[in-house]
Amino acid sequence: MSKFLNEKYRKLQPYQPGEQPKIKELIKLNTNESPYPPGPGVMEAIKRNAELLRLYPDPQCVALKQQIASAFGMRVNNVYVANGSDDILNFAFMAFADEKSGVLMPEISYGFYPVFAQLHGVPCRKVPLAPDLSIDPADYTGRDGMIVIANPNAPTGRALALYQVEEIVRTNPESVVLIDEAYVDFGGESSVDLVHKYDNLLVVRTFSKSRSLAGARLGFAIGAAGLIADLERIRYSTNPYNVNSLTMAAGIAALKEDAYYRENCEKIIKSREETTKALTALGFSVTPSKANFLFVRHDRIAGETLYRKLREKGILVRHFATEKISAYNRVTIGRPEEMEKFLRAVERILEEETQ
Ligand SMILES: *Cc1c(COP(=O)(O)O)cnc(C)c1O
């Protein structure tokens, strides 16, 4: 840290992204990327549009917004797009959280939320999860301050039902309720349609997980026109070109080949269920997941030890040092053959541990 850094950022604890090591043959189950490549339409669109790089991208992102609006039965002014959904979360905290009432969020959730709160100087009001790691919607009804919930939640994978989300949105009419649906395509219920009914709901989505475009950095939000206009106000005050032209072309193409990504999600769900069964048979506790990952622990091996031993075998999962969840590992669902290798490695490690 230099002596020049502004006082207000000196205590900031930045988010720690999962590792992206360049090890050959690594089985990478640590950052919830899709194990399947982008579809042929995306590849084609990127080639076809490469010459656009000479020009600035359309700051209004009209073509992409239209495609998203029609895919979700919305109007263009209900759609916001940005450089990954992290970009949207940042702007949403900036726009809708205030210093007095702060942001209400589950104690165990996406690690970036507290960072954004800190960055924007708003208090983080963390609500504990139930012992089974589920969110009790009653903790969020009729509160004040912005509410941020990942649904399905990360890293637990547990999801709220649509009626439960609606209850939270309905009983907090003076606050923005942000529902982060990064993983909704893997079996959760989307709240997008509630946007027709409530002016305080912002649903945030990403192309990074179910649509195989983590590297392109593309996220979108669906909400009442007023909320979208507020976010645009901030985007036009920071970086109106935050979505590049190739990413826009890729996003449009991905929406046009939706069936391909749906099929991949089906494969991932099937593999998730098989892996859950296999891990349970090996004595693991596996949190019921509606996401493309599993949150697992075993009484006979510490979370950190399992993480380290898997890493030695070239398999990367995500371990969080946070006290309450340090017994767990989060395991992204990869291709079936990768999950097979993961399970064999886990078996061997458990055998070693009990010798
Ligand atoms: C991965 C993830 C994001 C970030 O997605 P990007 O669009 O890649 O920035 C946001 N929220 C949650 C809960 C996530 O797991």
Side-chain angles (χ1 to χ4, degrees), residues 66-76 78-79 192-193 195-196 222:
Q66 276 170 347
Q67 198 72 39
I68 294 170
S70 85
F72 289 88
M74 295 287 155
R75 290 167 185 266
V76 169
N78 296 122
V79 180
V192 161
D193 288 339
V195 165
H196 295 295
I222 293 180

Side-chain angles (χ1 to χ4, degrees), residues 23 36 40 89 108 112 118 126 161 166 208 218 245 253 256 285 326:
I23 305 170
Y36 302 109
L89 296 170
I108 309 289
F112 225 141
Q118 209 192 357
K126 294 186 181 174
E166 177 158 16
S208 296
L218 184 58
S245 16
K256 288 181 180 164
S285 310
S326 64

Side-chain angles (χ1 to χ4, degrees), residues 84-86 89 110 113 150 154 180 182-183 206 208-209 217-218:
S85 54
D86 288 338
L89 296 170
Y110 184 38
Y113 302 148
D180 181 347
Y183 300 104
T206 178
S208 296
K209 313 281 164 54
R217 312 305 305 128
L218 184 58

Side-chain angles (χ1 to χ4, degrees), residues 15 31-33 82-89 109-113 116 149-155 178 180-183 204-209 213-220 292-293 330:
Y15 177 68
T31 49
N32 299 344
E33 290 136 333
N83 191 285
S85 54
D86 288 338
D87 209 28
I88 304 177
L89 296 170
S109 192
Y110 184 38
F112 225 141
Y113 302 148
F116 290 129
I149 294 177
N151 191 40
N153 195 13
L178 186 157
D180 181 347
E181 295 189 349
Y183 300 104
V204 177
R205 304 278 291 250
T206 178
F207 282 71
S208 296
K209 313 281 164 54
L213 285 175
R217 312 305 305 128
L218 184 58
F220 61 102
N292 65 339
F293 55 81
R330 191 194 66 192

Side-chain angles (χ1 to χ4, degrees), residues 28-75:
K28 196 173 175 306
L29 308 176
N30 71 326
T31 49
N32 299 344
E33 290 136 333
S34 174
Y36 302 109
V42 167
M43 306 295 198
E44 178 53 36
I46 287 178
K47 252 189 271 166
R48 199 161 11 90
N49 287 283
E51 61 184 306
L52 285 181
L53 287 177
R54 184 174 66 80
L55 304 170
Y56 281 104
D58 169 18
Q60 295 179 9
C61 310
V62 173
L64 174 57
K65 282 188 173 183
Q66 276 170 347
Q67 198 72 39
I68 294 170
S70 85
F72 289 88
M74 295 287 155
R75 290 167 185 266

Side-chain angles (χ1 to χ4, degrees), residues 127-355:
V127 183
L129 298 181
D132 68 355
L133 303 183
S134 62
I135 290 172
D136 182 355
D139 291 336
Y140 300 86
T141 48
R143 304 294 299 258
D144 55 25
M146 184 184 178
I147 293 171
V148 175
I149 294 177
N151 191 40
N153 195 13
T156 67
R158 297 201 76 128
L160 290 173
L162 181 57
Y163 77 91
Q164 296 174 308
V165 173
E166 177 158 16
E167 194 58 10
I168 295 170
V169 176
R170 189 183 63 79
T171 58
N172 288 284
E174 299 307 317
S175 307
V176 169
V177 177
L178 186 157
I179 302 295
D180 181 347
E181 295 189 349
Y183 300 104
V184 77
D185 293 331
F186 302 101
E189 278 185 283
S190 176
S191 310
V192 161
D193 288 339
L194 297 180
V195 165
H196 295 295
K197 224 167 131 184
Y198 299 95
D199 67 0
N200 62 326
L201 170 65
L202 189 71
V203 180
V204 177
R205 304 278 291 250
T206 178
F207 282 71
S208 296
K209 313 281 164 54
S210 58
R211 290 193 167 83
S212 306
L213 285 175
R217 312 305 305 128
L218 184 58
F220 61 102
I222 293 180
L227 297 183
I228 302 302
D230 297 340
L231 291 173
E232 291 294 3
R233 194 178 175 84
I234 290 180
R235 198 169 70 91
Y236 274 80
S237 310
T238 49
N239 180 6
Y241 300 119
N242 61 346
V243 183
N244 74 71
S245 16
L246 290 188
T247 290
M248 279 199 256
I252 294 168
L255 289 165
K256 288 181 180 164
E257 54 187 2
D258 198 44
Y260 167 74
Y261 300 100
R262 271 178 208 268
E263 217 173 280
N264 289 345
C265 289
E266 291 304 320
K267 286 195 263 187
I268 290 166
I269 291 169
K270 182 164 174 276
S271 185
R272 178 185 73 204
E273 299 313 313
E274 288 166 0
T275 310
T276 301
K277 265 199 210 128
L279 286 171
T280 310
L282 289 172
F284 279 87
S285 310
V286 184
T287 312
S289 171
K290 297 274 189 207
N292 65 339
F293 55 81
L294 294 173
F295 202 46
V296 306
R297 67 179 179 80
H298 198 291
D299 287 339
R300 290 211 320 268
I301 187 164
E304 212 269 330
T305 313
L306 180 61
Y307 160 79
R308 195 166 33 77
K309 297 208 160 188
L310 282 168
R311 199 175 196 288
E312 284 163 11
K313 296 186 189 309
I315 301 174
L316 209 52
V317 298
R318 188 90 198 257
H319 178 257
F320 299 92
T322 322
E323 196 201 330
K324 287 204 173 162
I325 52 170
S326 64
Y328 289 83
N329 277 287
R330 191 194 66 192
V331 183
T332 306
I333 302 299
R335 281 177 276 114
E337 61 274 22
E338 293 177 307
M339 299 323 286
E340 221 19 73
K341 287 185 185 155
F342 161 76
L343 287 168
R344 295 296 80 81
V346 168
E347 250 169 19
R348 259 179 290 141
I349 292 167
L350 284 175
E351 277 164 23
E352 283 163 24
E353 278 301 293
T354 46
Q355 261 164 22

